PDB file of all heavy atoms in Angstrom:
ATOM      1  N   PRO A1205       7.824  11.405  22.281  1.00 95.00           N
ATOM      2  CA  PRO A1205       7.750  10.767  20.951  1.00 95.00           C
ATOM      3  C   PRO A1205       9.049  10.101  20.530  1.00 95.00           C
ATOM      4  O   PRO A1205       9.032   9.155  19.731  1.00 95.00           O
ATOM      5  CB  PRO A1205       7.398  11.935  20.016  1.00 95.00           C
ATOM      6  CG  PRO A1205       6.709  12.920  20.900  1.00 95.00           C
ATOM      7  CD  PRO A1205       7.406  12.819  22.224  1.00 95.00           C
ATOM      8  N   ALA A1206      10.173  10.578  21.048  1.00 94.00           N
ATOM      9  CA  ALA A1206      11.469   9.997  20.679  1.00 94.00           C
ATOM     10  C   ALA A1206      11.612   8.561  21.176  1.00 94.00           C
ATOM     11  O   ALA A1206      12.480   7.821  20.705  1.00 94.00           O
ATOM     12  CB  ALA A1206      12.605  10.853  21.226  1.00 94.00           C
ATOM     13  N   LEU A1207      10.753   8.159  22.119  1.00 95.00           N
ATOM     14  CA  LEU A1207      10.822   6.810  22.673  1.00 95.00           C
ATOM     15  C   LEU A1207       9.898   5.840  21.944  1.00 95.00           C
ATOM     16  O   LEU A1207       9.811   4.671  22.323  1.00 95.00           O
ATOM     17  CB  LEU A1207      10.453   6.829  24.161  1.00 95.00           C
ATOM     18  CG  LEU A1207      11.357   7.649  25.082  1.00 95.00           C
ATOM     19  CD1 LEU A1207      10.806   7.639  26.502  1.00 95.00           C
ATOM     20  CD2 LEU A1207      12.781   7.097  25.046  1.00 95.00           C
ATOM     21  N   ILE A1208       9.206   6.326  20.911  1.00 94.00           N
ATOM     22  CA  ILE A1208       8.214   5.499  20.229  1.00 94.00           C
ATOM     23  C   ILE A1208       8.676   5.171  18.814  1.00 94.00           C
ATOM     24  O   ILE A1208       9.021   6.066  18.041  1.00 94.00           O
ATOM     25  CB  ILE A1208       6.847   6.203  20.189  1.00 94.00           C
ATOM     26  CG1 ILE A1208       6.392   6.542  21.606  1.00 94.00           C
ATOM     27  CG2 ILE A1208       5.806   5.324  19.500  1.00 94.00           C
ATOM     28  CD1 ILE A1208       5.090   7.327  21.666  1.00 94.00           C
ATOM     29  N   ASP A1209       8.689   3.896  18.472  1.00 91.00           N
ATOM     30  CA  ASP A1209       9.059   3.435  17.140  1.00 91.00           C
ATOM     31  C   ASP A1209       7.818   2.967  16.388  1.00 91.00           C
ATOM     32  O   ASP A1209       6.844   2.533  17.005  1.00 91.00           O
ATOM     33  CB  ASP A1209      10.060   2.274  17.228  1.00 91.00           C
ATOM     34  CG  ASP A1209      11.297   2.637  18.043  1.00 91.00           C
ATOM     35  OD1 ASP A1209      11.874   3.705  17.764  1.00 91.00           O
ATOM     36  OD2 ASP A1209      11.666   1.857  18.946  1.00 91.00           O
ATOM     37  N   ASP A1210       7.851   3.030  15.060  1.00 84.00           N
ATOM     38  CA  ASP A1210       6.751   2.512  14.254  1.00 84.00           C
ATOM     39  C   ASP A1210       6.724   0.989  14.354  1.00 84.00           C
ATOM     40  O   ASP A1210       7.761   0.338  14.474  1.00 84.00           O
ATOM     41  CB  ASP A1210       6.913   2.920  12.791  1.00 84.00           C
ATOM     42  CG  ASP A1210       6.588   4.390  12.581  1.00 84.00           C
ATOM     43  OD1 ASP A1210       5.890   4.958  13.437  1.00 84.00           O
ATOM     44  OD2 ASP A1210       7.039   4.947  11.573  1.00 84.00           O
ATOM     45  N   TRP A1211       5.534   0.430  14.286  1.00 82.00           N
ATOM     46  CA  TRP A1211       5.381  -1.028  14.311  1.00 82.00           C
ATOM     47  C   TRP A1211       4.469  -1.458  13.182  1.00 82.00           C
ATOM     48  O   TRP A1211       3.496  -0.774  12.846  1.00 82.00           O
ATOM     49  CB  TRP A1211       4.778  -1.502  15.636  1.00 82.00           C
ATOM     50  CG  TRP A1211       4.387  -2.959  15.578  1.00 82.00           C
ATOM     51  CD1 TRP A1211       5.172  -4.030  15.840  1.00 82.00           C
ATOM     52  CD2 TRP A1211       3.109  -3.493  15.178  1.00 82.00           C
ATOM     53  NE1 TRP A1211       4.484  -5.191  15.633  1.00 82.00           N
ATOM     54  CE2 TRP A1211       3.215  -4.905  15.225  1.00 82.00           C
ATOM     55  CE3 TRP A1211       1.900  -2.927  14.773  1.00 82.00           C
ATOM     56  CZ2 TRP A1211       2.154  -5.746  14.892  1.00 82.00           C
ATOM     57  CZ3 TRP A1211       0.850  -3.767  14.447  1.00 82.00           C
ATOM     58  CH2 TRP A1211       0.981  -5.155  14.510  1.00 82.00           C
ATOM     59  N   GLY A1212       4.763  -2.613  12.625  1.00 68.00           N
ATOM     60  CA  GLY A1212       3.838  -3.287  11.732  1.00 68.00           C
ATOM     61  C   GLY A1212       3.746  -2.679  10.350  1.00 68.00           C
ATOM     62  O   GLY A1212       4.410  -1.703  10.015  1.00 68.00           O
ATOM     63  N   PRO A1213       2.891  -3.275   9.514  1.00 64.00           N
ATOM     64  CA  PRO A1213       2.731  -2.822   8.124  1.00 64.00           C
ATOM     65  C   PRO A1213       2.072  -1.458   8.049  1.00 64.00           C
ATOM     66  O   PRO A1213       1.196  -1.137   8.848  1.00 64.00           O
ATOM     67  CB  PRO A1213       1.836  -3.902   7.507  1.00 64.00           C
ATOM     68  CG  PRO A1213       1.073  -4.470   8.665  1.00 64.00           C
ATOM     69  CD  PRO A1213       2.024  -4.428   9.822  1.00 64.00           C
ATOM     70  N   ALA A1214       2.516  -0.660   7.087  1.00 63.00           N
ATOM     71  CA  ALA A1214       1.906   0.654   6.882  1.00 63.00           C
ATOM     72  C   ALA A1214       0.459   0.483   6.446  1.00 63.00           C
ATOM     73  O   ALA A1214       0.141  -0.336   5.598  1.00 63.00           O
ATOM     74  CB  ALA A1214       2.683   1.432   5.828  1.00 63.00           C
ATOM     75  N   ASP A1215      -0.440   1.254   7.041  1.00 58.00           N
ATOM     76  CA  ASP A1215      -1.859   1.093   6.763  1.00 58.00           C
ATOM     77  C   ASP A1215      -2.417   2.181   5.861  1.00 58.00           C
ATOM     78  O   ASP A1215      -3.605   2.219   5.597  1.00 58.00           O
ATOM     79  CB  ASP A1215      -2.666   1.061   8.074  1.00 58.00           C
ATOM     80  CG  ASP A1215      -2.487   2.326   8.894  1.00 58.00           C
ATOM     81  OD1 ASP A1215      -1.554   3.095   8.596  1.00 58.00           O
ATOM     82  OD2 ASP A1215      -3.266   2.541   9.836  1.00 58.00           O
ATOM     83  N   ARG A1216      -1.579   3.086   5.382  1.00 61.00           N
ATOM     84  CA  ARG A1216      -2.100   4.145   4.534  1.00 61.00           C
ATOM     85  C   ARG A1216      -0.967   4.745   3.722  1.00 61.00           C
ATOM     86  O   ARG A1216       0.200   4.666   4.069  1.00 61.00           O
ATOM     87  CB  ARG A1216      -2.772   5.245   5.351  1.00 61.00           C
ATOM     88  CG  ARG A1216      -1.820   5.927   6.318  1.00 61.00           C
ATOM     89  CD  ARG A1216      -2.380   7.227   6.880  1.00 61.00           C
ATOM     90  NE  ARG A1216      -3.636   7.050   7.558  1.00 61.00           N
ATOM     91  CZ  ARG A1216      -4.744   7.670   7.178  1.00 61.00           C
ATOM     92  NH1 ARG A1216      -4.754   8.477   6.158  1.00 61.00           N
ATOM     93  NH2 ARG A1216      -5.860   7.489   7.835  1.00 61.00           N
TER      94      ARG A1216
END
Side-chain angles (χ1 to χ4, degrees):
L1207 298 176
I1208 303 176
D1209 305 310
D1210 286 339
W1211 170 87
D1215 59 346
R1216 61 166 58 240

